[in-house]
Amino acid sequence: MRERVKIAFLNSLGLALDPLLSHCTRQKIDILILTESYRSSGTLPTDWHQHHLFARPNPSTNGQIPGVSILWRRDLPFHVHPLPPHAPHALSVRAGPHTITGVYYPPSLPNTAFREAIEKLPNDPFSITLGDWNVRLGPLVGDTRTNARASIMTEWMANRGLHVWNASLAHGKHTFFRRDHKSVIDFAVSREQDCPAPALEVDDEQLFAADHYLCIFSFLPTQAIPRVPLPNAPRRLWQLDRLDDEDVLAQYVDTFAANLDPFLEDASATRQLQDRHAATASIDALGTRLTQAIHDALDASVMPTTPRPKHWKWFWTPHLQNLADARQHAFVQWKRAPNSIDRLRLWKA
């Protein structure tokens, strides 16, 4: 059974974290993206799982380049895998086939740098990008004006066949506000066919940050996201003796090699990471993905099998069980015999 995936995103400047997380828990938000994060190390004070692109020094201004944080609930029924950073100002996780990316592009970012950054965003099927783009798309999303980034972003979306969901699901709903003006700069972007039954809510009734509204994007996955096994679920087993068959072995090798290509790209990117926290999260994610690649290859080739009951023995048959029962019955009769004569008779019998 497929269940809706709910992703909330919010600019975290002036964030009230506890009320926000309480609200997200009540609304059954699966993944929360916090943009414009100035956290340079450590974790947020919550038991939600966390993945961070930390703020880093900006040599040209003596200030900081803000980062992005992605959080997800501990009780999610599916795995969320942190991915190493691939693009400037962006951070990604993977849930099933979906690559979910949070972005924050500062207003001070030059247009050429903005173009280069969005070109490096994930472009695989089922990619979803959400966050604070600081782009004014004008009438397309119901905003009052455009800016220089608008043509860059619309060209990029056209080239990749992408759709900005604010245009069709929240047209004219402002995501940013100040005393003197309002605008639409927080977007959810993906291919239309990758997000069936989409919904986008701009929660302008409650404030959890200084000048942005909480946005919630949800959709029904095109395929069920693998669920987390139950804590007491039996370990996975495969018919490994089938690897003696050359055709089966070739299928396993081919499937594993195909699964390994994106893994090797991410492993190479992880080696370039300078931040220890980001590298640790990336290595953990790579370990999980490598295990999954092996499991997927085994599923496609040798096929899984079910574990044998703990009491099962390969040599035990129904006939042996009947003989054991008869022996036990005779032993009980002999043990209960009232005297030695009767015991001797039962023993000989």
Side-chain angles (χ1 to χ4, degrees):
M1 178 180 179
R2 292 179 297 159
E3 299 178 2
R4 292 189 72 83
V5 175
K6 300 181 73 173
I7 308 168
F9 54 105
L10 176 69
N11 182 295
S12 64
L13 203 62
L15 176 67
L17 181 62
D18 288 342
L20 173 62
L21 293 178
S22 297
H23 178 74
C24 288
T25 300
R26 289 192 300 271
Q27 296 296 317
K28 298 183 179 179
I29 300 299
D30 299 313
I31 298 171
L32 172 63
I33 297 172
L34 300 176
T35 64
E36 195 175 0
S37 169
Y38 288 91
R39 177 173 292 274
S40 57
S41 64
T43 58
L44 293 166
T46 173
D47 64 348
W48 285 46
H49 291 293
Q50 304 176 36
H51 185 33
H52 298 280
L53 173 66
F54 291 114
R56 53 208 184 278
N58 187 343
S60 61
T61 65
N62 293 324
Q64 284 186 307
I65 301 173
V68 177
S69 295
I70 302 180
L71 292 76
W72 58 98
R73 298 196 332 263
R74 285 191 171 273
D75 60 346
L76 282 187
F78 54 84
H79 282 295
V80 174
H81 306 292
L83 300 178
H86 275 87
H89 313 285
L91 186 66
S92 300
V93 297
R94 183 168 290 141
H98 298 277
T99 301
I100 300 166
T101 301
V103 298
Y104 176 72
Y105 299 112
S108 59
L109 190 68
N111 291 333
T112 53
F114 173 72
R115 182 189 297 274
E116 292 172 359
I118 62 176
E119 288 293 345
K120 293 179 181 178
L121 287 172
N123 193 29
D124 50 312
F126 307 109
S127 290
I128 308 168
T129 308
L130 317 95
D132 183 352
W133 302 68
N134 279 303
V135 179
R136 304 293 296 273
L137 291 175
L140 176 63
V141 295
D143 201 356
T144 54
R145 66 179 182 88
T146 62
N147 61 8
R149 288 184 184 179
S151 59
I152 299 173
M153 184 171 178
T154 52
E155 178 186 357
W156 170 76
M157 290 191 297
N159 291 339
R160 293 193 176 190
L162 299 173
H163 177 67
V164 56
W165 289 107
N166 303 62
S168 55
L169 301 177
H171 193 268
K173 294 284 288 186
H174 298 109
T175 65
F176 172 82
F177 62 93
R178 279 192 179 159
R179 183 176 302 177
D180 53 343
H181 74 278
K182 298 179 179 180
S183 60
V184 185
I185 56 176
D186 301 275
F187 304 126
V189 178
S190 76
R191 297 192 309 171
E192 291 187 77
Q193 63 268 34
D194 293 340
C195 298
L200 177 60
E201 174 191 356
V202 179
D203 187 356
D204 54 7
E205 303 259 334
Q206 303 180 76
L207 293 180
F208 300 104
D211 47 19
H212 286 252
Y213 293 122
L214 179 69
C215 301
I216 302 173
F217 179 68
S218 64
F219 63 97
L220 190 65
T222 55
Q223 53 185 283
I225 298 177
R227 299 179 70 87
V228 176
L230 296 175
N232 295 323
R235 61 192 179 96
R236 300 192 64 186
L237 299 174
W238 292 268
Q239 303 174 44
L240 296 181
D241 55 341
R242 293 194 64 209
L243 291 174
D244 293 336
D245 186 312
E246 291 185 0
D247 292 337
V248 174
L249 178 60
Q251 184 179 8
Y252 168 77
V253 171
D254 291 344
T255 305
F256 179 67
N259 293 341
L260 205 58
D261 286 341
F263 170 86
L264 293 175
E265 294 178 8
D266 292 341
S268 178
T270 298
R271 295 179 62 186
Q272 309 302 319
L273 292 176
Q274 301 297 319
D275 183 89
R276 181 173 61 86
H277 297 283
T280 300
S282 296
I283 292 170
D284 290 343
L286 288 171
T288 301
R289 291 178 60 194
L290 180 59
T291 301
Q292 190 62 49
I294 296 172
H295 289 182
D296 290 345
L298 289 171
D299 287 344
S301 56
V302 303
M303 308 296 290
T305 186
T306 54
R308 297 163 178 163
K310 291 182 179 180
H311 63 272
W312 189 91
K313 304 295 182 184
W314 66 268
F315 57 83
W316 203 253
T317 65
H319 176 64
L320 287 177
Q321 184 63 50
N322 290 336
L323 291 177
D325 292 341
R327 175 192 175 280
Q328 181 66 19
H329 177 71
F331 173 77
V332 171
Q333 281 191 312
W334 174 81
K335 191 72 174 176
R336 291 177 177 175
N339 53 60
S340 298
I341 300 298
D342 288 337
R343 285 190 179 185
L344 180 61
R345 178 177 55 81
L346 290 170
W347 183 269
K348 290 182 177 181

